[in-house]
């Protein structure tokens, strides 16, 4: 039976409009994105199969183009649409972060970093540059490495911070194949960056480590 033949109170789109997106399951939200199913499967059934195939919504969202388009019913157009949705969400959060409010809470920063870093198959080191009122000036990826390692040069971080007239920074990197717990090298790097930036009177407010949906904050654990 096509979704259009379902009782109205059961259709995902109508339920979203009536009760809000939070009332829907992952499969139902994904079905609205897919819009149509494939022969023998409506959009909800296809969405359920997709979540089972990739293992999680996060894994589906961050799937490579080759893996995504290999699934019947998911072509390049759907992949492009999904990437556009992810980028819109990332830009909306970034816009909120640059709207003039102080970054006094790490929640928006964590959401932004999850969208930016979670699911990447390589290590990536980002710096969020802040002004004297802790408002975001710019967020940049400064270094990119392999699955397990990224080379970070304190001199370059200092140079980029001075170029933006930053008064403070937040650091972030991901662990593609591990837990969000910082390694000993992460701790040593953070100390080195604190010392290097202190020489030019720039503070490090936090260092985040992203692994999937988990984010470790150095500041919250008293490590900075």
């Amino acid at each position: 039976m096509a979704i259009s033949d379902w009782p109205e109170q059961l259709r995902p789109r109508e339920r979203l409009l009536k009760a809000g997106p939070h009332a829907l399951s992952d499969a139902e939200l994904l079905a609205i994105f897919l819009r149509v199913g494939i022969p023998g499967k409506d959009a909800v059934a296809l969405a359920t199969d997709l979540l089972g195939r990739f293992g999680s919504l996060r894994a589906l969202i961050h799937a490579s183009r080759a893996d995504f388009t290999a699934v019947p019913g998911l072509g390049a157009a759907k992949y492009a649409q999904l990437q556009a949705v992810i980028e819109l969400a990332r830009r909306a959060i970034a816009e909120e972060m640059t709207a003039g409010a102080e970054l006094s809470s790490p929640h928006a920063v964590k959401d932004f970093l999850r969208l930016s870093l979670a699911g990447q198959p390589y290590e990536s080191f980002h710096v969020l540059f802040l002004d004297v009122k802790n408002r975001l000036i710019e967020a940049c990826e400064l270094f990119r490495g392999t699955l397990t390692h990224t080379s970070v040069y304190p001199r370059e971080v200092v140079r980029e911070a001075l170029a933006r007239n930053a008064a403070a920074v937040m650091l972030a990197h991901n662990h593609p194949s591990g837990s969000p717990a910082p390694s000993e090298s992460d701790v040593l790097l953070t100390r080195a960056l604190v010392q290097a930036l202190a020489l030019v009177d720039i503070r490090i407010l936090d260092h985040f480590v992203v692994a999937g949906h988990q984010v470790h904050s150095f500041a919250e654990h008293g490590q900075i």
Side-chain angles (χ1 to χ4, degrees), residues 27-66:
E28 289 172 320
L29 289 170
L30 183 57
I32 293 175
F33 167 77
L34 294 172
R35 293 183 57 238
V36 295
I38 58 176
K41 292 181 182 178
D42 59 45
V44 174
L46 176 58
T48 301
D49 286 353
L50 287 173
L51 291 173
R53 174 170 180 153
F54 286 95
S56 68
L57 182 60
R58 180 183 65 82
L60 171 61
I61 287 175
H62 293 289
S64 68
R65 178 178 176 179

Side-chain angles (χ1 to χ4, degrees), residues 11 19 47 50 63 65 80-81 101-102 106-107 114 116 118 133 135 143 166 171 182 195 205 209 213-215 220:
R11 299 175 199 163
L50 287 173
R65 178 178 176 179
Q81 290 174 18
E102 292 185 16
H107 296 301
R114 287 188 188 99
S116 300
K133 294 185 178 180
R135 295 175 300 195
F143 308 100
L171 312 174
Q195 293 174 359
L205 301 184
V209 183
H213 68 282
Q214 302 178 81
V215 182
E220 290 177 354

Side-chain angles (χ1 to χ4, degrees), residues 136-220:
L136 183 67
I137 300 171
E138 187 177 0
C140 298
E141 179 190 57
L142 292 190
F143 308 100
R144 180 179 296 189
T146 65
L147 176 65
T148 59
H149 178 72
T150 302
S151 296
V152 177
Y153 302 98
R155 179 179 61 185
E156 292 300 310
V157 177
V158 171
R159 185 175 67 84
E160 295 293 338
L162 290 174
R164 291 165 176 80
N165 197 30
V169 300
M170 290 183 179
L171 312 174
H173 76 281
N174 61 324
H175 285 174
S177 59
S179 78
S183 65
E184 181 62 25
S185 61
D186 293 336
V187 174
L188 293 175
L189 171 63
T190 304
R191 292 174 182 169
L193 287 169
V194 167
Q195 293 174 359
L197 287 163
L199 293 175
V200 290
D201 199 27
I202 297 175
R203 297 172 298 130
I204 294 181
L205 301 184
D206 208 339
H207 186 172
F208 298 96
V209 183
V210 181
H213 68 282
Q214 302 178 81
V215 182
H216 177 93
S217 164
F218 272 56
E220 290 177 354

